[in-house]
Amino acid sequence: MSALDERAEALHLKRDMGIADARAMHPSIEIVEADPEADRRLLEGLADWCDRYTPLVALDGADGLFLDVTGCTHLFGGERAMLDDILSRFFHQGFDVRAGLAATPGAAWAAARFCGDRIVVSGEEEALLAPLPLAALRIEPSTRTSLESVGLRTAGAVMAAPRAPLARRFGALLLLRLDQALGRLDEAVSPRLPVAPLSVERHLAEPVTLTEDIERLVGMLAATLKTDLERRGEGARTLALLLFRVDGAVSRIAIGTSRPMREPMLIQKLFHERLAAIEQDIDAGYGFDLVRLSVLAAATFDMQQADLAGEVTDDGADIALFADRVRARLGEGAVLRPVAVESHLPERAVATIPFTEAPRRTTPPKKPDRLQAPPQTIFPPERPIRLFRSPEPIDVPATEMPEGPPLNFRWRRALYRVTRAEGPERIAAEWWREAASDPITSTRDYFRIEDADGRRYWLYRQGLYGNTQVPPRWFMHGVFA
């Protein structure tokens, strides 16, 4: 058995006892199959809820939490008031919780699991641990058994024993745990979630349930956040809205921006779109009593020069805001931006990436040297208006000459007669992409074709006549009009 309730403990059942042995003692007991994954999700949900007290929350095994409340207790009226508030809220949620508060994680762990509701004053860690069993030191069961075999049954007995023989016989981990609990060595609490550099929150006397009230609170919090961002000279790139429900559930809503942002009205608009998209997924229950707005990622905010009328002109601001609102409503992949890729093949020359990852700043052109001759203008070859994602095969029955354009071709079950043609334009793949032993299969000869109705196409021949046993193949790659 992996866990027991109070009634099972009253029957003197023990953890790790076999089910057959437990039923032999008490045949009427009820056995429920353990679900470690569900227990883990519940513990993570409780850890999310504990973010209301401190952002430094870590998981401790399968049944515990570490909260680093350094610098946070005064926000709740002191250590005792904070501890009472935690225990009271957990009790009303239906959980039987034991808590301890100390200057070290080891002492707090021992106080919570062996003393119940207790606050350990700094410097009293040794007095706390001395009468407790060896399990209070967070050491392995095998080490505890070895210590008990030589008569060391309490943490105080271990502290009174010489350190050198203990280290030689039982390993350095025993002394490490002891020194961490007594504060001789630092022990860091690794939070399960990254800590936001900036956060603002508001505790509500009356819980809110309406989306309009949440949006109004977002505007108020963003106005407070703007002051901190201005002081740091930064703008928010990723923001998270945390809604703490009165019964312990936590909703996390995150948005991203294309450029650093700190205007409260714009932030409120983005969260309006996001809340509208996931409104059906947010269960307000009995309401949210705590709302927090955090900046998860920030970047330098570039100030722009205003004109004589006091207005700032930014041609890309409206496009960026539009893209951010669409992504907040439909997801990150709703707005993509094409970027050039170094490739000779047309279908590889352009890639689409999320709007936020596209380059937004270009290096200004250098001032031309008067003594240097002006560069010659080179007109790039004409490209079709619509380029197919994958070239489509076509049937070419005949050509004017082996290396010339087709006289007619069949595409999508229709026959097209060629009246004008321009080309060929030879394009080959990069040498590091295709096999060097078969370069002909990667060579393409492109032609710009016009049919009898005036429609223009961009097609190519892959391979050369007379060089291989396999005849060349023809493909349609795009249309001009």
Side-chain angles (χ1 to χ4, degrees):
M1 293 187 292
S2 60
L4 303 170
D5 59 7
E6 294 181 354
R7 295 180 61 185
E9 291 178 350
L11 297 175
H12 303 288
L13 299 179
K14 303 296 182 182
R15 293 184 60 178
D16 299 328
M17 177 184 290
I19 296 179
D21 297 336
R23 285 195 181 277
M25 296 173 58
H26 303 280
S28 61
I29 61 174
E30 182 180 357
I31 304 296
V32 179
E33 186 177 357
D35 189 351
E37 291 297 328
D39 295 340
R40 184 74 175 186
R41 291 193 298 268
L42 175 61
L43 188 62
E44 291 178 350
L46 297 178
D48 288 339
W49 179 82
C50 287
D51 280 349
R52 66 188 301 131
Y53 298 103
T54 172
L56 300 175
V57 181
L59 300 181
D60 175 38
D63 58 353
L65 297 173
F66 272 124
L67 278 68
D68 188 349
V69 296
T70 304
C72 302
T73 55
H74 69 281
L75 301 175
F76 301 89
E79 295 179 349
R80 171 50 60 184
M82 181 180 186
L83 194 61
D84 291 341
D85 184 69
I86 293 175
L87 294 175
S88 175
R89 289 179 180 271
F90 271 118
F91 174 78
H92 287 93
Q93 294 176 26
F95 294 99
D96 182 14
V97 178
R98 299 177 182 179
L101 197 151
T104 65
W109 189 92
R113 295 180 181 270
F114 295 92
C115 302
D117 178 14
R118 180 170 178 179
I119 297 178
V120 183
V121 181
S122 179
E124 296 184 356
E125 293 83 6
E126 186 172 353
L128 167 74
L129 293 172
L132 298 182
L134 297 177
L137 296 179
R138 298 179 295 165
I139 56 179
E140 297 294 332
S142 58
T143 305
R144 296 202 304 264
T145 303
S146 300
L147 289 169
E148 292 173 353
S149 66
V150 297
L152 302 177
R153 301 183 180 278
T154 63
V158 175
M159 288 186 286
R163 294 175 61 90
L166 289 177
R168 286 196 302 268
R169 183 165 182 178
F170 303 104
L173 181 60
L174 172 62
L175 299 182
L176 174 64
R177 288 302 192 189
L178 184 61
D179 291 339
Q180 289 176 341
L182 297 177
R184 299 169 184 168
L185 294 176
D186 293 334
E187 181 181 359
V189 175
S190 300
R192 54 185 293 268
L193 296 176
V195 180
L198 288 176
S199 292
V200 290
E201 63 183 33
R202 175 162 295 191
H203 293 263
L204 305 175
E206 293 292 334
V208 297
T209 58
L210 300 178
T211 305
E212 294 78 4
D213 296 333
I214 297 175
E215 293 178 7
R216 192 179 307 110
L217 289 170
V218 169
M220 297 178 183
L221 296 175
T224 306
L225 204 60
K226 179 181 179 181
T227 304
D228 297 330
L229 290 172
E230 288 178 345
R231 184 180 65 254
R232 297 162 62 104
E234 296 177 339
R237 289 297 309 276
T238 306
L239 296 111
L241 178 66
L242 277 71
L243 305 175
F244 295 83
R245 213 166 65 183
V246 294
D247 61 351
V250 181
S251 298
R252 295 178 179 269
I253 307 169
I255 61 170
T257 63
S258 303
R259 55 178 60 189
M261 180 182 297
R262 61 190 184 195
E263 186 62 34
M265 186 61 65
L266 300 181
I267 295 176
Q268 186 176 1
K269 287 182 178 180
L270 295 184
F271 275 106
H272 167 77
E273 300 293 345
R274 190 59 186 156
L275 289 171
I278 63 175
E279 186 175 4
Q280 303 297 329
D281 300 331
I282 298 179
D283 183 10
Y286 292 103
F288 303 105
D289 63 343
L290 174 61
V291 180
R292 177 183 299 163
L293 183 62
S294 302
V295 177
L296 302 182
T300 303
F301 190 88
D302 295 333
M303 300 297 294
Q304 297 183 355
Q305 181 69 34
D307 56 15
L308 296 178
E311 298 180 355
V312 178
T313 302
D314 188 356
D315 298 334
D318 293 339
I319 297 177
L321 178 60
F322 169 77
D324 291 340
R325 295 183 68 177
V326 172
R327 291 188 303 109
R329 175 73 70 113
L330 303 178
E332 291 294 327
V335 181
L336 304 176
R337 180 180 300 197
V339 294
V341 179
E342 293 184 358
S343 178
H344 302 316
L345 298 181
E347 63 269 23
R348 295 177 181 171
V350 177
T352 55
I353 62 175
F355 191 82
T356 55
E357 299 181 10
R360 298 169 197 84
R361 179 179 297 178
T362 58
T363 304
K366 297 182 180 180
K367 185 177 181 180
D369 190 356
R370 295 182 178 180
L371 300 179
Q372 184 179 2
Q376 297 181 356
T377 303
I378 300 177
F379 294 97
E382 188 178 1
R383 290 292 181 257
I385 297 176
R386 180 187 176 189
L387 186 71
F388 298 152
R389 179 173 298 180
S390 298
E392 300 182 6
I394 61 175
D395 182 20
V396 176
T399 59
E400 293 184 2
M401 59 184 67
E403 306 299 331
L407 299 177
N408 53 68
F409 61 91
R410 188 177 298 276
W411 175 50
R412 295 180 179 178
R413 300 182 180 180
L415 181 63
Y416 299 86
R417 299 191 180 278
V418 178
T419 58
R420 293 182 179 87
E422 183 179 3
E425 176 190 352
R426 179 157 294 181
I427 298 178
E430 298 81 6
W431 61 268
W432 61 87
R433 287 184 178 271
E434 304 295 340
S437 59
D438 192 14
I440 297 178
T441 58
S442 61
T443 301
R444 301 178 180 180
D445 285 339
Y446 278 84
F447 295 89
R448 287 179 288 274
I449 301 296
E450 182 176 330
D451 65 2
D453 297 329
R455 292 185 293 264
R456 303 182 65 199
Y457 308 92
W458 201 43
L459 49 86
Y460 70 88
R461 181 188 64 245
Q462 183 172 353
L464 302 175
Y465 286 100
N467 289 1
T468 60
Q469 297 180 356
V470 180
R473 300 176 60 192
W474 289 83
F475 294 89
M476 177 71 66
H477 206 162
V479 293
F480 288 92

